[in-house]
Amino acid sequence: MPTPSTTLWHQLPETEVTDSLGVQPDGGLDAADIQDRREKFGTNELTVRTGKGPLLRFLLQFHQTLVYILLAATGVKLYLQDWAAASVIFGVVLLNSIIGFIQEGKALSALAALSKALKTEATVLRSGELHRIDASDLVPGDIVVLQSGDKVPADMRLLSGLELQIDESALTGESVPVSKQVAVLPEDTSLADRTNMLFSSTLVTYGTGRGVVVATGDATEMGRISTLISSAEVLATPLTRKIAKFSEVLLVAILGLATFTFLVGVWHGQPWENLFMASVALSVAMIPEGLPAVMTITLAIGVSRMAKRNAIIRHLPAVETLGSTTVICSDKTGTLTRNEMTVLQVWAGGELFAGQGIGYSPEGHFTLQDTAFEIDSKPAFLECMQAGLLCNDAALEQNEQGWTVAGDPTEGALLVSARKAGLDTTTLATRLPQLDAIPFKSQYQYMASLHHHTARDENVVYLKGSVESVLQRCSRVLAADGAALPLERAAIEAQVERMAGQGLRVLGFARRFLPPDTQHIDPRSVAEGLEFIGLQGMIDPPREEAITAIAACQAAGVQVKMITGDHALTAAAIAEKIGLSKQGGADAATTVCTGRELEAMTEAELVEAANHASVFARVSPEQKLRLVGALQANQEVVAMTGDGVNDAPAVRKADIGIAMGMTGTEVAKEAADMVLTDDNFATIEAAVEEGRGVFDNLIKFLTWILPTNAGQGLIIIVAVLFAQPLPVLPVQVLWINMTTAVLLGLALAFEPREPGIMQCPPRTPGSAILTSEMVFRIVLVGLLLLVGSFGLFEWALQQGDSEAQARTIAVNVFAVGQSFYLLNCRSLRVSMLRLGLFSNMWVWAGIVAMAASSLAFTYLPVMNQLFHTAPIEVIDWLYISAVGLVIYLVVACEKWIRLWLAQRADSLNA
C-alpha cells in the first residue's frame, strides 16, 4: 500500500486509486483492515504540538540584555544593603515581565483551533453497510459518502459525484465554491485546481458525492498546514532587535566606563570603598531604568488608539512593527475588494452598455457610450436583463447592515443589474410566472427556467451559463432592434475575450419560445434552436477606500502586494484598478506570478520575483510561506494578511500577521498579531500610520532620557578624574531616573502624530535605533547637564554650602534641565510652537508634577533622610532654572539650523 502523504492521487484513475488502497468501492473496508490501518496510520486527528510551558514562557521574559543589566544592578544594591533601591529596580523588571507574559498567553493556540476544526462526524461504507461514525475513526481506504452541508472529514479522491460543489475558501483562498469531477488531472496541477480531490475541513455546499480516504490526520493538507504553523519561525520585531542591540552596546559601555573609573581612582590613591560606590553610582546612572516601563505603556497607548480605528492588537510589539513595515502582502477578496460581485458591462444587440454603481446596493444605472438611454428602446438589452433576473435562484435583501444576497454571489449580481435597469422582481414574476427549471449542473454548465409570457400567450425558456455552453445551443442572435439574425460566433467570442482580458467573469444568456401548453423542460428542450441574447461581465470591485489607502502606503514608501487564490487575469485586473502597477512607475504593467511559476523557481529566483512582482495568484500555503521568507531575506519588514486556514503559516511567520475579524477563521486570528474588525485594507494603512506615531514617540523618549544617563555618568567620571566628592549619590541617581522617566518622559507617549508622517519613507530595517543627528543631540544635552550640574555643585561648595546642599542642587539641575528639554523633544525636527503649545497637556501636567516632586525631594525631612538631601535657598533655584533655559535655547537653535540647512538643500536640488 503506498504512503498516503506522498502519492499524487489526482493523477491516478479511480480504479487505480482504490486498488492501491486495497478497497472495494461498493463494499468498503472490513473490521480487520480498519484495525490494521489504524495501528499503522493512527487516528484522524491533528497532533497538538506542545509548546513552552507557562513557567518557561514567564522566565523567558527576563531573557533580554537590558533586563540582565537591571538584575545585575539589583544584585549590587542588595549587596550594599540598599533595600529600597533594589526593590524599585526589581519591581520595574517584574512588572514588565508580567505584562509580556500576559500578552503572549494566546500566541501559540492556533494548533488547538485546528484540532478543534477537525472534530466532526462522517458517513462511511464498511463491510457493505453505511455507518455514521466519528471522523477521528477514519482510516486511509475508507469509502465516505457526502451530501450538502457536510464537512469533508479527511483528504479524499472523488470516485463519483452529482453536482458536487465544495467551499474551499479556508484552504485555498478561492472565494467561489469549486465544482468537483472525477476526471484524471496532470501531475503538476496546483492544489487549488485539483477538482477531483476533496480536502479535510472544507464544506459541501451543493450536491452529493462518494470518495475514498487517501490521507488522515497530520498527513492531510490541513495537517501539513498545522506542521507549517508549528515550524514557522517567529522573528523578533524591529523594535526588540534594535533595543537588544542598543542594550548590548550599553552593557559594554557601562562595564568599560565603570572599570575605567575604578582604575583611575586607584591611580589617584582613593579608598577602595569610595571607588566601589562611584562605580556602582556610574552603573546605576547609565542604566535607563524607566525605559522598559515607558516602552510598555507607549505601546499600550498605541493599542488603544488602533482599537478606535478598527485594529485589535494581540501582541504589544506589533504596534511598533507596523510603523516599520516596508511591504504589505494582502489578500484580495473582501480586503482589497468589496466581496460583492458587480456587473460592469453588458453586451447585447451588438452594443456595449456600462454599469454605474458598485456592490449589492441597487443604486445606479446603465449608460451607452456614456449617455443615458430609454430601456424600452433597447429590446436586446432589456431581454438580457430580464433573463438574468428570471433565470435566478438568489434573493436580494436589505437589513441593518445594508444590501445582502441570499444565494450565489454571481446570481446576486444579476439581480442588482436588473434592478439598476429599472426591472422589478415582483412585477416581472407576475408577467412571466415560472413553470419549471433546470438547475445548474457542472456537466452542462448552464441553468434554464421556463416561464409563461402572459402578454404573448406563449412560453419562453431563459438560459444562462458559461458562454461556450450557451453558444453551442444557439443558431440565431437577437439584434439591437429585437430582430433575430444568424449567429456570428466570432463577434461574440471577441467580446468575451475582451471582457475576460479586463478580469471580468462573463456569463452568456439565451432564450427560446415554446408552445403555451409546455409545462416542463429537460436538457433536450434547450439542446438547440436558441436565440443568443447577450453577455454580462462582472467582477468583485475594489473598495474605494482601499485605493486611497494603497496610494497613501505608496507615498509612504510601503510596497503593497496582492496574494490571492483567484485566477491571474482577475487578480491583474483588480491590481490595475487599485494602483498596484504604479509601484513600478507611471507606465509600468502589473507583474503577475502564478503558483505554478513559483513552484519552479530556485530560492534566488524567488527572492527576485518577490521583490519585483506585485500580484501572486493561485498560490499554495507553502508558497505563501516561501514568499514571506523571500521578502524577509531581502531585509523587508513584512505585514501579511489572511483569513483562511491556508493563510495561518504565512501570517505567523510574517513580521506582523494580520487576520480578518469578520470573515477570518479562528486559526488565522490565533496566528495573527493584529485583527481587523472591519476586514478593510484602509484599516491597515491607518494602523501603519499609528505604528509610525508610536515609534516616533519611543525615539523621542530615548532622545530625551539618554542625556540624563549620559550627564549623570559623565559627572561621576569627572568627579573621579579630579578626585572630587561625588556630585550625585547612587540613591539620588535612582530618584532622578525613575521620577523623570515616569512624570516627564511618559508624557511623550501621549504626543499626537506629527503632520506628514505618512509622506516619509519607512525606516531602513537594518538601521540603528538612533540616528547620528539624535546621538549628537544626546551628547550635546548630556554635556550641558554635566557643565550645569557639576559647575553648580562646585560653586555651592565654594560658597560654603554642605555636600548635601550641593548634591541637592546638582540633582535638581537634572530635574529642571530635563523639564525644559522635554519641550524640545515634543518634535525632533521642528519647534513645539508649530505643534501647538497646549496640544499635549500631559507634558505640562508632567512638568508640574516633577516640580512638586523636586520641592518634596528638597524640603521634606523624610526625603532629606532617605536621599541625603538638604534644603536650598531660593536664589539657587534661579541658577538651576537658568541652566534649564540655556538647554532649551541651545537645542532650539540646533534644530532651527538643521531645518534651515535641509530646506536649503531641498531648494538647491529642486
Side-chain angles (χ1 to χ4, degrees), residues 165 175-177 333 339-343 359-360 392 394-396 404-416 505 507 538-540:
Q165 295 182 28
S175 55
V176 179
T333 305
N339 199 19
E340 297 178 355
M341 295 296 287
T342 304
V343 174
Y360 290 150
N392 202 310
L396 187 63
T404 59
V405 165
D408 186 81
T410 301
E411 292 192 322
L414 298 176
L415 293 179
V416 174
R505 184 181 184 191
L507 291 181
M538 64 192 70
I539 198 169
D540 181 10

Side-chain angles (χ1 to χ4, degrees), residues 142-387:
D142 265 326
I143 304 297
V144 176
V145 178
L146 295 170
Q147 61 183 4
S148 181
D150 284 349
K151 180 184 285 188
V152 179
D155 284 4
M156 301 192 295
R157 172 64 161 88
L158 186 64
L159 300 179
S160 63
L162 180 62
E163 307 307 317
L164 185 63
Q165 295 182 28
I166 306 289
D167 178 1
E168 296 182 342
S169 58
L171 181 66
T172 66
E174 177 68 66
S175 55
V176 179
V178 179
S179 295
K180 295 294 182 176
Q181 45 83 31
V182 298
V184 175
L185 298 172
E187 180 181 346
D188 61 351
T189 304
S190 65
L191 183 72
D193 295 321
R194 294 178 186 175
T195 52
N196 59 9
M197 295 293 297
L198 312 176
F199 299 108
S200 174
S201 292
T202 57
L203 298 172
V204 181
T205 60
Y206 191 81
T208 60
R210 178 176 294 204
V212 57
V213 174
V214 297
T216 57
D218 291 338
T220 63
E221 289 296 325
M222 198 67 72
R224 203 159 44 78
I225 292 174
S226 169
T227 304
L228 290 174
I229 295 175
S230 63
S231 62
E233 180 185 0
V234 182
L235 299 180
T237 71
L239 178 66
T240 54
R241 291 196 293 265
K242 286 180 170 66
I243 291 295
K245 188 173 181 179
F246 168 74
S247 301
E248 291 168 4
V249 173
L250 184 64
L251 177 61
V252 173
I254 290 172
L255 293 177
L257 288 173
T259 303
F260 172 75
T261 303
F262 189 86
L263 294 175
V264 169
V266 171
W267 180 63
H268 277 303
Q270 296 182 33
W272 284 64
E273 183 179 344
N274 291 351
L275 291 175
F276 184 67
M277 285 294 292
S279 298
V280 170
L282 177 62
S283 300
V284 174
M286 297 288 287
I287 299 171
E289 288 91 351
L291 177 58
V294 173
M295 271 182 56
T296 301
I297 294 169
T298 303
L299 293 173
I301 292 169
V303 168
S304 176
R305 287 177 175 174
M306 288 183 184
K308 294 175 183 177
R309 301 182 74 173
N310 299 319
I312 305 300
I313 301 296
R314 298 184 65 247
H315 304 132
L316 275 182
V319 178
E320 182 277 331
T321 308
L322 279 161
S324 307
T325 300
T326 60
V327 177
I328 299 174
C329 297
S330 176
D331 189 21
K332 176 181 71 69
T333 305
T335 308
L336 295 172
T337 64
R338 298 174 61 91
N339 199 19
E340 297 178 355
M341 295 296 287
T342 304
V343 174
L344 296 183
Q345 296 181 15
V346 176
W347 186 83
E351 297 175 310
L352 183 64
F353 302 84
Q356 310 298 317
I358 58 175
Y360 290 150
S361 172
E363 298 174 1
H365 60 280
F366 283 89
T367 60
L368 177 62
Q369 296 179 346
D370 297 327
T371 305
F373 62 93
E374 290 293 331
I375 189 171
D376 291 335
S377 67
K378 302 294 180 183
F381 174 81
L382 178 61
E383 275 294 285
C384 192
M385 294 291 100
Q386 197 164 276

Side-chain angles (χ1 to χ4, degrees), residues 426 769 793:
T426 304
I769 193 168
F793 173 77

